[in-house]
C-alpha cells in the first residue's frame, strides 16, 4: 500500500511536468466552453499537435498510428499533470476516446490509414451520433434509417445530444438498416462526413444557457457502402466497442463545486447561530462530501494501480459519475442556501465566489443525465458488476417495427 | 502508486478467509449469540492466536510477526466479514496499539508477547456517560497509584485481563494500565445490541493503576489510539458490508415475486448498486487510512476520520438494506441479516460514532487548510 509514485512513475511524472512547463500554452478561460471562438479552436488544435509530436497524445496507442506507444499508467499521470495547467479546451476527446478507437478495432484498413493519424494530430474532429429523440438511454432503439440504394446508402432521420457536432469533421453514426428484425439485430454503423449536404446541425439551447450539444438532421444523406464500419446488422456490436472504449478511459474527479470552496464560502457568511463554518449541520455535510470526493479520488488511484501492475482494473471505476454528479448538485444547493437571498444572483460580479456554485447548480442536471443517467448507471452496476438479472424486456424478440412506442 | 494490497498481503488475506470460512462459520457466531453465558468463542480465539494474527503488527522482538499495520488491516477485513465473535479489536487495535504507542520498554516487554500469544485479552475503558468522549466527562481518578471510578460500556471488559483506562490525576486526563484480576475491580456484564461482542461495566475501588505514557497526555493519547483503531475497524466494517451486499444479491437472485426474481426489479437493483457504491467509497478511504497508518505522517488524523466516516455509513447502509431486501424473512431471528445489523451498530459506535468523527474530520480539514 503505497500512495506515492514508484521510482519509474516519479521519473515519468518529472519528465512530463518539465515538458508541460516548457510547452503548455497559457490560455485563460478556454476551459469554460469557449470553443465557438475560432481563436480558441486554433489554440486547441495547436496544443493537440504539439502533444502528438511529443508522443503525449494518445499515449497508449502504437507509434505507427501517431500514438506514444506507452502504458496506461503513463496516460493517467500525463492527464493528472496536464490538469494542473490551464490548457485549451479539448474538442478531440470524443473522437480519440470513442470514435477513432472503434474505427481502429472494427474498421477496414483504408479507413484506419485515412482517419487515425489526422485525428491524433488534431486536424480532424469526430462526434458520436448514437442518441435519438425517441431513445436516450435506449440507444439500440435508434430509428434513423439507412436504406440501400445501389452501392450507396441513403440516410434519413435525426440524432440528438451530439457533443461538438457543430465543429466536427466526421461522425460515427448508428442507423437502422432492417426494421423487420429485433432491434439489436437491425442496426449498422457508418462514418459520415459532417460537412456533406444532407447533414444539418442545430445547436440545443441548454437550461444553463450554453450550447454544448446539438441536434443533427439527415435528409437523403448519401453515403458509400465503403463508409460502413463493420458488417450490415452488426451495428449494435460495433456500438458496444465504442461504449467499451468510453468505459476504459479513466475518468477524473467531479470538478465544479468542491468542499474547499464550500469551506471558504462558509468562512465568510453569517447564519443565525454565527459564522457558517461553525454550523454543525453544515460541517456534517462537508465531512460526508469530503469522504465521497476523496473516495472517488482514491478509487481512481486503485484503477491506476491495477494498470501499473498490468492488470485489468476492477469494476469500481464505474461509480465515478453517479457519485460526482449528485455531489455537485447537492453541494451547490447547500452553498446557495448558505448564501441565503444572495443565492439567486448568478452574475459573477455580485455573486459570492464569482457565481461558481450557481453555475454548478445549473450544470449539475446535465451531468446527472449525460453519458448514462444515474438510473442507467445503477442498472449497469447491478447487472454487469453484481450480476443481477436483466429487467423484463418487452422489445427483445419483437421485430423493431412492431415495438410499441409512446411519445 | 501502489494503492492496493501487495501480492503477499493478498495471499495473507485469502488464507485468512479460508481459515475463517472453516473455523468461523455462522454457527460459531450464533453459538455466542444464543448462549447468554458465552462472551466470546474461546476456541476460535485460540485458533486465531495460533495463526499469529494477534501479533501481526507487534514487532518480532516482542513475540509478534512484525509484519505491519497494512497486514493487520487485511486480516481485519476478513474478521469483519466473518463477524468473528472474539475480543480481537479490543486486544489488538486498542490495547496492543496503545502499548506500542505509549508504553515503556518494560510495559511492552511484559505485555506484548502475552498479547501476541493469546494469553492476555485487553479492553479500552474510556467512556463513563452517554455522549461523545471528552476529558470533561471523565470522573475516574487516580490517587497514589490507586484508581477509583466507573467505566461503561467497556467492550470485552467482562473477559479482559488488562485494561487501558482513561482517568484523571491531579485533574488531568492520563492513561493507565490496570490488571483486572487484581483487587478493587468489580465487573458486571451489560446487555447490548450485539451479544456476539460482549461489554461490561467496570467499577474500580482502589485498583492498582500503572501510568501508560506521560501523565496529562491521556486525552491526546486516547485520540491517537482511536485514530489507529478507526482505520482497522474501517476494514472490519468494509468486510461486513461486502458480505451483507453478497447476501442481498444472493437472495435477490433466488427470491421470486410476481413471476420473476426480485433482483430484476429496478427498486432492488438501484438499492444494491447504492450499497456497492458506498462500499467502494469506504474501501478507497480505508486504503488511504491504511497507507497513512503505515506512513506514520501527520495525515493520519484526517485519513482515519475519513475512513471511519465512510465505513460507518457503508456498513450501516449495507446492513439495513440487506435486511430490507430479505423482506419479512429478514426480520426473523433465524435469518442472518440481524447479525450484520447488530454488528454494524457495534462497530459504528465502539470507537465513537460517525457524528463526532465528522466533526473531527472537518476540524482536521480546517487545520490542514490553515497550514
Amino acid at each position: 500500500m503505497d500512495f506515492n509514485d514508484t521510482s519509474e512513475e516519479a521519473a515519468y511524472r518529472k519528465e512530463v511536468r518539465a515538458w508541460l512547463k516548457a510547452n503548455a500554452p497559457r490560455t485563460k478561460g478556454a476551459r469554460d466552453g469557449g470553443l465557438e471562438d475560432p481563436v480558441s479552436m486554433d489554440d486547441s488544435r495547436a496544443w493537440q499537435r504539439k502533444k502528438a509530436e511529443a508522443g503525449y497524445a494518445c499515449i497508449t496507442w502504437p507509434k505507427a498510428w501517431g500514438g506514444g506507444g506507452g502504458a496506461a499508467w503513463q496516460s493517467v499521470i500525463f492527464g493528472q499533470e496536464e490538469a494542473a495547467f490551464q490548457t485549451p479546451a479539448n474538442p478531440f476527446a470524443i473522437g480519440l476516446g470513442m470514435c477513432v478507437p472503434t474505427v481502429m478495432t472494427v474498421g477496414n484498413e483504408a479507413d484506419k490509414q485515412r482517419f487515425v493519424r489526422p485525428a491524433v494530430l488534431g486536424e480532424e474532429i469526430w462526434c458520436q451520433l448514437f442518441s435519438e429523440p425517441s431513445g436516450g438511454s435506449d440507444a439500440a432503439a435508434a430509428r434513423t434509417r439507412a436504406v440501400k440504394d445501389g452501392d450507396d446508402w441513403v440516410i434519413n432521420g435525426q440524432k440528438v445530444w451530439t457533443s461538438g457536432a457543430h465543429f466536427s469533421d466526421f461522425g460515427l453514426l448508428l442507423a437502422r438498416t432492417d426494421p423487420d428484425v429485433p432491434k439489436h439485430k437491425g442496426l449498422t454503423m457508418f462514418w459520415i462526413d459532417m460537412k456533406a449536404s444532407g447533414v444539418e446541425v442545430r445547436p440545443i439551447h441548454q437550461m444553463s444557457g450554453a450550447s454544448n450539444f446539438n441536434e443533427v438532421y439527415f435528409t437523403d444523406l448519401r453515403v458509400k457502402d465503403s463508409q460502413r464500419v463493420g458488417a450490415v446488422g452488426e451495428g449494435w456490436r460495433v456500438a458496444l466497442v465504442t461504449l467499451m472504449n468510453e468505459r476504459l478511459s479513466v475518468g477524473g474527479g467531479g470538478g465544479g463545486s468542491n468542499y474547499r470552496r464550500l469551506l471558504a464560502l462558509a468562512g465568510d457568511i453569517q447564519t443565525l447561530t454565527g459564522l457558517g463554518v461553525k454550523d454543525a449541520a453544515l460541517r456534517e455535510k462537508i465531512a460526508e462530501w469530503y469522504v465521497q470526493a476523496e473516495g472517488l479520488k482514491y478509487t481512481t488511484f486503485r484503477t491506476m494501480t491495477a494498470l501499473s501492475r498490468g492488470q485489468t482494473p476492477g469494476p469500481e471505476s464505474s461509480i465515478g459519475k453517479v457519485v460526482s454528479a449528485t455531489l455537485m448538485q447537492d453541494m451547490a444547493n447547500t452553498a446557495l442556501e448558505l448564501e441565503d437571498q444572495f443565492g439567486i444572483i448568478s452574475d459573477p460580479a455580485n455573486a459570492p465566489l464569482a457565481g461558481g456554485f450557481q453555475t454548478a447548480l445549473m450544470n449539475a442536471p446535465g451531468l446527472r443525465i449525460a453519458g448514462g443517467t444515474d438510473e442507467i448507471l445503477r442498472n449497469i452496476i447491478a447487472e454487469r458488476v453484481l450480476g443481477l438479472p436483466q429487467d423484463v424486456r418487452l422489445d427483445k424478440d419483437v421485430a423493431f417495427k412492431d415495438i410499441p412506442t409512446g411519445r | 502508486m501502489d494503492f492496493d494490497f501487495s501480492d503477499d498481503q493478498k495471499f495473507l488475506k485469502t488464507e485468512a478467509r479460508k481459515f475463517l470460512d472453516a473455523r468461523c462459520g455462522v454457527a460459531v457466531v450464533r453459538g455466542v449469540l444464543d448462549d447468554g453465558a458465552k462472551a466470546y468463542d474461546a476456541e476460535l480465539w485460540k485458533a486465531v492466536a495460533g495463526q499469529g494474527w494477534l501479533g501481526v503488527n507487534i514487532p518480532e522482538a516482542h513475540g509478534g510477526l512484525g509484519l505491519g499495520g497494512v497486514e493487520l488491516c487485511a486480516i481485519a477485513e476478513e474478521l469483519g466479514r466473518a463477524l468473528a465473535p472474539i475480543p480481537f479489536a479490543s486486544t489488538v487495535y486498542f490495547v496492543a496499539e496503545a502499548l506500542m504507542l505509549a508504553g515503556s520498554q518494560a510495559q511492552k516487554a511484559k505485555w506484548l508477547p502475552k498479547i501476541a500469544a493469546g494469553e492476555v485479552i485487553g479492553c479500552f475503558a474510556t467512556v463513563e456517560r452517554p455522549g461523545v468522549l471528552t476529558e470533561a466527562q471523565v470522573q475516574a481518578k487516580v490517587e497514589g497509584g490507586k484508581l477509583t471510578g466507573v467505566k461503561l460500556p467497556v467492550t470485552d471488559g467482562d473477559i479482559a485481563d488488562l485494561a487501558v483506562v482513561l482517568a484523571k490525576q491531579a485533574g488531568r486526563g492520563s492513561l493507565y494500565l490496570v490488571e483486572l484480576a487484581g483487587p478493587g475491580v468489580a465487573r458486571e456484564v451489560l446487555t447490548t445490541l450485539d451479544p456476539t461482542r460482549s461489554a461490561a461495566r467496570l467499577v474500580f475501588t482502589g485498583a492498582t493503576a500503572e501510568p501508560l505514557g506521560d501523565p496529562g497526555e491521556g486525552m491526546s493519547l486516547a485520540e491517537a489510539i482511536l485514530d489507529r483503531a478507526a482505520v482497522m475497524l474501517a476494514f472490519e466494517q468494509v468486510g461486513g458490508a461486502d458480505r451483507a451486499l453478497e447476501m442481498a444479491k444472493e437472495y435477490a437472485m433466488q427470491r421470486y415475486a410476481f413471476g420473476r426474481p426480485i433482483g430484476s426489479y429496478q427498486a432492488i437493483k438501484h438499492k444494491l448498486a447504492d450499497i456497492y457504491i458506498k462500499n467502494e467509497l469506504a474501501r478507497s478511504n480505508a486504503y488511504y487510512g491504511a497507507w497513512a497508518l503505515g506512513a506514520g505522517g501527520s495525515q493520519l488524523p484526517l485519513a482515519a476520520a475519513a475512513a471511519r466516516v465512510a465505513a460507518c455509513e457503508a456498513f450501516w447502509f449495507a446492513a439495513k438494506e440487506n435486511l430490507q431486501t430479505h423482506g419479512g424473512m429478514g426480520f426473523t431471528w433465524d435469518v442472518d441479516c440481524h447479525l450484520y445489523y447488530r454488528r454494524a451498530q457495534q462497530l459504528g459506535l465502539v470507537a465513537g460514532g460517525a457524528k463526532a468523527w465528522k466533526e473531527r474530520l472537518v476540524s482536521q480539514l480546517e487545520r490542514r487548510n490553515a497550514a
Side-chain angles (χ1 to χ4, degrees):
Chain A
M1 196 75 70
D2 193 348
F3 194 63
N4 298 313
D5 283 339
T6 62
S7 57
E8 196 184 3
E9 288 162 356
Y12 183 75
R13 192 182 293 281
K14 199 173 155 196
E15 168 197 320
V16 162
R17 201 173 281 177
W19 185 84
L20 283 165
K21 223 171 166 183
N23 292 282
R26 308 269 179 273
T27 314
K28 272 195 129 169
R31 287 187 165 233
D32 304 323
L35 286 172
E36 317 304 324
D37 174 3
V39 176
S40 95
M41 181 58 93
D42 288 347
D43 288 350
S44 296
R45 288 186 195 275
W47 177 229
Q48 181 67 19
R49 173 174 285 277
K50 204 173 226 181
K51 285 196 287 183
E53 283 167 352
Y56 291 131
C58 306
I59 285 170
T60 60
W61 294 12
K63 286 192 171 156
W65 293 111
W73 61 266
Q74 293 176 320
S75 176
V76 175
I77 287 181
F78 188 86
Q80 288 170 346
E81 293 300 318
E82 189 185 12
F85 288 82
Q86 191 83 17
T87 53
N90 182 0
F92 315 104
I94 289 171
L96 297 176
M98 301 170 75
C99 304
V100 177
T102 307
V103 171
M104 287 166 80
T105 310
V106 187
N108 59 47
E109 197 54 33
D111 285 348
K112 287 190 229 179
Q113 295 296 346
R114 164 66 188 81
F115 290 120
V116 178
R117 195 173 281 275
V120 175
L121 287 168
E123 290 167 0
E124 291 171 353
I125 299 176
W126 286 69
C127 62
Q128 185 221 67
L129 299 156
F130 286 15
S131 293
E132 294 195 8
S134 61
S137 297
D138 186 7
R143 293 186 198 174
T144 293
R145 280 286 273 130
V147 178
K148 193 80 194 283
D149 181 27
D151 254 1
D152 293 349
W153 294 83
V154 178
I155 295 172
N156 281 283
Q158 185 201 343
K159 296 288 172 177
V160 76
W161 296 116
T162 313
S163 309
H166 53 307
F167 52 68
S168 286
D169 303 290
F170 298 99
L172 194 64
L173 173 88
L174 185 64
R176 172 107 13 226
T177 42
D178 186 355
D180 296 321
V181 294
K183 69 174 185 180
H184 290 100
K185 293 178 182 154
L187 295 163
T188 303
M189 193 73 81
F190 299 91
W191 64 259
I192 65 162
D193 179 350
M194 292 298 288
K195 312 289 189 221
S197 66
V199 179
E200 187 197 349
V201 177
R202 295 184 202 163
I204 296 174
H205 192 197
Q206 294 150 220
M207 61 167 274
S208 56
S211 291
N212 306 105
F213 306 95
N214 303 275
E215 297 176 306
V216 184
Y217 292 83
F218 310 103
T219 312
D220 294 332
L221 168 67
R222 205 160 259 281
V223 306
K224 296 200 169 4
D225 189 52
S226 61
Q227 289 175 244
R228 191 164 33 79
V229 181
V232 175
E234 289 284 302
W236 184 244
R237 205 180 53 79
V238 179
L240 289 179
V241 172
T242 312
L243 297 171
M244 193 77 80
N245 276 300
E246 183 178 32
R247 280 198 296 279
L248 279 177
S249 60
V250 180
S257 44
N258 68 53
Y259 59 85
R260 284 185 196 85
R261 288 167 64 84
L262 189 57
L263 264 180
L265 179 73
D268 197 32
I269 277 187
Q270 290 293 328
T271 71
L272 276 183
T273 52
L275 210 52
V277 75
K278 297 292 167 203
D279 181 74
L282 179 68
R283 291 172 77 84
E284 278 201 37
K285 282 184 180 174
I286 289 176
E288 287 159 15
W289 291 328
Y290 173 86
V291 156
Q292 289 177 17
E294 295 296 288
L296 284 186
K297 189 174 91 187
Y298 304 139
T299 302
T300 64
F301 292 165
R302 287 165 58 196
T303 303
M304 189 179 158
T305 298
L307 294 172
S308 279
R309 292 179 180 178
Q311 299 160 348
T312 308
E316 62 274 358
S317 55
S318 63
I319 69 175
K321 191 180 81 83
V322 77
V323 175
S324 60
T326 291
L327 180 66
M328 174 175 169
Q329 191 168 43
D330 289 352
M331 205 181 285
N333 180 51
T334 296
L336 267 54
E337 218 173 59
L338 195 62
E339 294 172 11
D340 208 276
Q341 299 198 33
F342 253 68
I344 61 166
I345 304 174
S346 53
D347 164 20
N350 289 305
L353 295 178
F357 285 111
Q358 282 75 8
T359 304
L361 187 91
M362 298 310 278
N363 284 333
L367 196 58
R368 288 187 55 195
I369 294 162
T373 62
D374 286 359
E375 292 74 18
I376 287 293
L377 293 178
R378 285 187 166 86
N379 283 351
I380 289 173
I381 291 171
E383 291 174 14
R384 305 217 185 118
V385 179
L386 302 178
L388 291 173
Q390 283 194 341
D391 210 332
V392 171
R393 296 262 166 102
L394 299 176
D395 58 1
K396 228 173 175 175
D397 303 312
V398 185
F400 179 75
K401 62 179 169 43
D402 298 328
I403 293 172
T405 56
R407 288 183 58 185
Chain B
M1 180 75 52
D2 194 18
F3 202 55
D4 194 356
F5 290 120
S6 69
D7 286 345
D8 282 352
Q9 289 158 350
K10 282 183 178 168
F11 178 76
L12 179 72
K13 200 163 170 289
T14 307
E15 291 302 303
R17 179 169 305 186
K18 279 189 212 156
F19 177 84
L20 289 166
D21 280 348
R23 307 294 286 265
C24 185
V26 75
V28 170
V29 183
R30 283 184 173 272
V32 177
L33 175 76
D34 290 331
D35 182 350
K38 211 169 173 182
Y40 71 111
D41 191 280
E43 209 173 304
L44 178 63
W45 181 244
K46 260 187 224 148
V48 160
Q51 293 292 303
W53 293 355
L54 299 171
V56 158
N57 196 31
I58 293 175
E60 285 177 273
H62 289 127
L65 297 179
L67 289 175
V70 179
E71 282 76 4
L72 186 51
C73 289
I75 286 171
E77 188 177 332
E78 297 306 321
L79 290 168
R81 180 186 168 85
L83 298 175
I86 49 175
F88 194 90
S90 305
T91 306
V92 178
Y93 314 156
F94 287 96
V95 174
E97 292 292 324
L99 283 162
M100 289 191 283
L101 198 68
S104 66
Q105 276 309 317
Q107 286 168 333
K108 288 182 197 171
K110 178 174 179 188
W111 293 109
L112 290 176
K114 287 184 178 156
I115 287 176
E119 290 162 12
V120 162
I121 291 174
C123 67
F124 190 58
T126 53
V127 187
E128 298 179 13
R129 42 178 301 135
V132 170
L133 172 67
T134 59
E135 192 154 10
Q137 74 155 259
V138 175
Q139 300 287 314
K141 58 182 179 196
V142 172
E143 283 170 341
K146 300 292 178 190
L147 169 66
T148 313
V150 179
K151 293 285 176 184
L152 81 161
V154 181
T155 296
D156 299 310
D158 48 334
I159 51 172
D161 306 290
L162 179 68
V164 170
V165 182
L166 178 64
K168 280 182 180 158
Q169 185 172 32
R172 294 155 71 213
S174 307
L175 289 186
Y176 294 92
L177 285 176
V178 180
E179 293 187 48
L180 297 177
V185 181
R187 9 185 172 190
E188 177 198 332
V189 178
L190 299 171
T191 301
T192 64
L193 283 179
D194 182 8
T196 66
R197 301 294 303 104
S198 68
R201 176 205 308 268
L202 297 186
V203 181
F204 301 102
T205 47
T208 302
E210 177 185 311
L212 177 69
D214 293 332
E217 293 296 313
M219 199 61 203
S220 59
L221 277 176
E223 279 174 4
I225 294 161
L226 284 168
D227 282 342
R228 304 180 75 75
V231 175
M232 296 157 193
L233 289 167
F235 279 90
E236 285 205 12
Q237 289 165 305
V238 166
D242 271 351
R243 182 61 201 129
L245 174 58
E246 285 172 21
M247 278 180 73
K249 187 180 89 178
E250 286 156 15
Y251 190 77
M253 311 251 276
Q254 289 159 11
R255 174 75 178 180
Y256 278 62
F258 309 103
R260 55 182 167 123
I262 61 170
S264 67
Y265 292 100
Q266 291 196 349
I268 297 295
K269 279 184 185 167
H270 291 188
K271 182 194 295 296
L272 268 52
D274 283 337
I275 300 176
Y276 176 79
I277 290 166
K278 285 176 192 285
N279 287 5
E280 291 310 312
L281 289 176
R283 189 186 319 282
S284 293
N285 277 291
Y287 279 16
Y288 183 63
W291 170 77
L293 199 63
S298 58
Q299 295 95 334
L300 182 61
L302 181 58
R308 177 126 185 99
V309 168
C312 287
E313 170 64 17
F315 196 12
W316 165 239
F317 187 79
K320 78 185 170 83
E321 297 306 328
N322 173 39
L323 197 155
Q324 180 73 14
T325 301
H326 280 70
M329 289 306 292
F331 193 57
T332 65
W333 189 265
D334 294 339
V335 170
D336 296 334
C337 299
H338 68 111
L339 303 182
Y340 294 85
Y341 193 77
R342 292 172 189 279
R343 185 60 69 85
Q345 285 299 335
Q346 199 274 338
L347 291 176
L349 298 173
V350 71
K355 188 176 170 62
W357 280 93
K358 287 175 191 171
E359 175 52 39
R360 288 178 73 158
L361 190 159
V362 178
S363 305
Q364 289 294 334
L365 208 51
E366 288 175 314
R367 200 168 302 176
R368 192 183 70 178
N369 288 354

